[in-house]
Amino acid sequence: MRAERIEPLPRRTTDRVDRAAVVLLTVAGLVGALVIGVFALAVHSSGFARADRELSERTQVEATVLTDAPLPVPAAERGAPVTVRVPAAWTAPDGTPRTGTVRVPGRPAAGQSEPIWVDRSGAVVEAPTTRLSAFAIAVFDGAVLLVLLVGALVGARRGIGAVLARVNAAGWEREWAEVEPDWSGRASTGRGPGAGPTRRGPSGVRGRPVAGPSFDRPRRCVCPCRIEDESVRGRGDVVVDSEQGATVQPVVVGVDATRSARDAAAWAAEVAEARGAPLHLLLVGPGTAAPDWLTALAGTLRGQVELVPGGDGPEAVAEALSARAGTAGLLVVGSHGEGSSSGLLAGTVALRLAGASACPVAVVRGSAPDRTPPTAGPVVVGIDGTEAGDDALDLACDLARDLGAPLLVVHAWSDVVAGADGSAHRRREDWSELVAQGEAVAAGARRRVAARVPGVEVETRSVEGTALRTLLDLGESARMVVAAPRSAARTPRPDDGLLLGSTSRGLVGFAPCPVVLTPVRVPSPTR
């Protein structure tokens, strides 16, 4: 049996650039380390010469204290070491009597002798530098420079790697656009009956024909489906899993010509692609034709345009998006629109939707209006052991799984809570009991995550503090923050977004990353 020879993959230009960059950075590191070593030796030699010179020029003599030292300062009363200045007399190296003020430790009495250092003229000077301290200075300077060199090399390597990764990703996108019709079976191959599409790898080299367009993997189709279930009936495309028949509702994002809306659309496109869901770009306005910028945006993001006639104010936009909440899997809006103010950067549309939508709402934002939303970091979710907290945890699990991101589950607790009258009250439990309760909530969350998304990397924390402050701090390095609005005693109305709980409203207004809120949980009526 002859073994088939496998040809090695051709090297890409980016591979050669990456290899050359590694070689150059390695050479730069070796040269830099050599220069640092030479510099450290120079500092070492200079320090030894200085130590020898000062030791030859300075002399230690005994000074006699002339008056009692002043009363101890507060630092001395606490036991901290202190020095005091007292008048003293001493003899210079040439035998000349000298007097003056010297600094001595403790609280010496009159007539007590204390050692001091003087130069050849008898003037008081500091103690000479020792060879040990000169050696330590040289080592410290060399270590600092070495750390800076390593940091610069690592930063350069990561920067070059990131640029090359973007170049490679762009190349993959271009080549995938060429071969995707064959892979999906949408293109006619023209090679006769029974001939499967020709598989073409990312290197551009044609491979052997494959049998059929399915390639033995589950397929999803995007089509205008009619859904009989009234709970999911709606407009637009619905993604259907051809094996299980499960529907994936679309991701609907409200757009306009602002940068914030475009950032929200790009964020929504990433989530929709990760979920395998269609993306709908919803524009509310008086026109009947899509503007050029929206057509271009839809083409770039592979989304479907929805035009809703109406006014272009925030009230009309919020109403249109609320109407889509029943058939959407996720509503997405930007945060820096009309109605935003300094510090509180959530626009009117975002605030009205959050806490009043029948489906999850994502308010997309960066740390500032001119910053794009983060695309790395964990999905952070806040829990409190309630059913609403479980809803937030489940949503965060699904997002982390779809996006391939780690999950950070945090439970914030405090011994001070708000009472029914709004005033602060201290809880009666012992501190150890509160800690144990918090750890129990975190442990339960870990079990829930393991059961729902076994393959997701998860970390759980139970911390003392307020939920808002904790989530805002973690949001600095998060990809997104997921939370649940407070429960409601009735079905939310469209204007209930303005009545969000303090934690949810604070996150929508001040979080440095996108915020995803679950629908408000309405308790079942009791009989």
Side-chain angles (χ1 to χ4, degrees), residues 246-474:
T247 60
V248 180
Q249 295 172 305
V251 175
V252 180
V253 53
V255 296
D256 54 30
T258 63
R259 173 176 175 175
S260 176
R262 292 172 185 262
D263 288 343
W267 187 91
E270 183 180 13
V271 174
E273 181 179 5
R275 287 184 167 188
L279 173 67
H280 290 190
L281 307 177
L282 187 146
L283 175 65
V284 180
T288 58
D292 293 340
W293 64 264
L294 180 55
T295 303
L297 184 63
T300 301
L301 301 180
R302 301 177 183 177
Q304 174 181 330
V305 174
E306 285 191 23
L307 298 178
V308 178
D312 55 0
E315 301 291 342
V317 177
E319 182 178 354
L321 287 171
S322 296
R324 293 289 279 116
T327 57
L330 177 67
L331 293 182
V332 183
V333 292
S335 64
H336 308 318
E338 182 179 348
S340 61
S341 59
S342 177
L344 185 67
L345 298 177
T348 304
V349 175
L351 284 174
R352 287 196 173 275
L353 285 176
S357 171
C359 72
V361 175
V363 182
V364 178
R365 57 184 301 151
S367 57
D370 58 343
R371 301 288 182 86
T372 57
T375 57
V379 174
V380 175
V381 56
I383 61 170
D384 57 3
T386 64
E387 291 182 344
D390 290 341
D391 292 342
L393 181 59
D394 292 345
L395 177 59
C397 286
D398 296 342
L399 288 169
R401 176 199 58 206
D402 295 340
L403 295 172
L407 179 64
L408 174 55
V409 184
V410 59
H411 170 55
W413 57 270
S414 175
D415 63 336
V416 178
V417 295
D421 57 354
S423 59
H425 297 276
R426 190 171 298 277
R427 298 174 63 177
R428 296 180 178 179
E429 297 94 334
D430 293 336
W431 187 264
S432 59
E433 185 177 354
L434 295 177
V435 173
Q437 291 175 2
E439 293 176 348
V441 173
R446 177 176 286 276
R447 292 191 295 270
R448 189 180 184 93
V449 173
R452 186 178 183 89
V453 284
V456 170
E457 177 187 350
V458 60
E459 177 186 356
T460 56
R461 298 181 188 176
S462 176
V463 299
E464 191 275 331
T466 65
L468 177 58
R469 183 71 267 166
T470 301
L471 293 176
L472 287 177
D473 290 342
L474 293 175

Side-chain angles (χ1 to χ4, degrees), residues 68-226:
D68 292 341
L71 291 174
V73 295
E77 295 174 352
R78 295 194 299 268
V82 296
T83 59
V84 294
R85 299 182 67 88
V86 294
W90 66 91
T91 302
D94 59 1
T96 306
R98 300 291 298 270
T99 59
T101 302
V102 298
R103 183 175 292 276
V104 295
R107 185 174 173 241
Q112 182 176 333
S113 296
E114 294 289 344
I116 62 172
W117 285 89
V118 296
D119 59 16
R120 293 174 179 173
S121 65
V124 179
V125 294
E126 297 291 335
T129 303
T130 64
R131 285 197 165 201
L132 180 60
S133 62
F135 175 77
I137 291 173
V139 171
F140 177 79
D141 291 348
V144 169
L145 292 177
L146 188 60
V147 169
L148 294 177
L149 173 64
V150 172
L153 293 176
V154 171
R157 180 70 185 91
R158 290 185 176 180
I160 294 172
V163 172
L164 294 179
R166 286 196 293 268
V167 173
N168 286 337
W172 276 82
E173 287 291 337
R174 290 192 302 268
E175 293 175 359
W176 177 247
E178 296 177 4
V179 303
E180 185 271 338
D182 284 343
W183 276 78
S184 62
R186 293 191 296 105
S188 175
T189 61
R191 293 196 304 276
T198 299
R199 185 178 300 180
R200 191 176 183 185
S203 62
V205 181
R206 289 186 180 271
R208 292 173 293 179
V210 294
S214 65
F215 305 105
D216 298 327
R217 67 172 185 261
R219 292 189 58 217
R220 288 180 174 179
C221 60
V222 179
C223 55
C225 301
R226 180 176 181 179

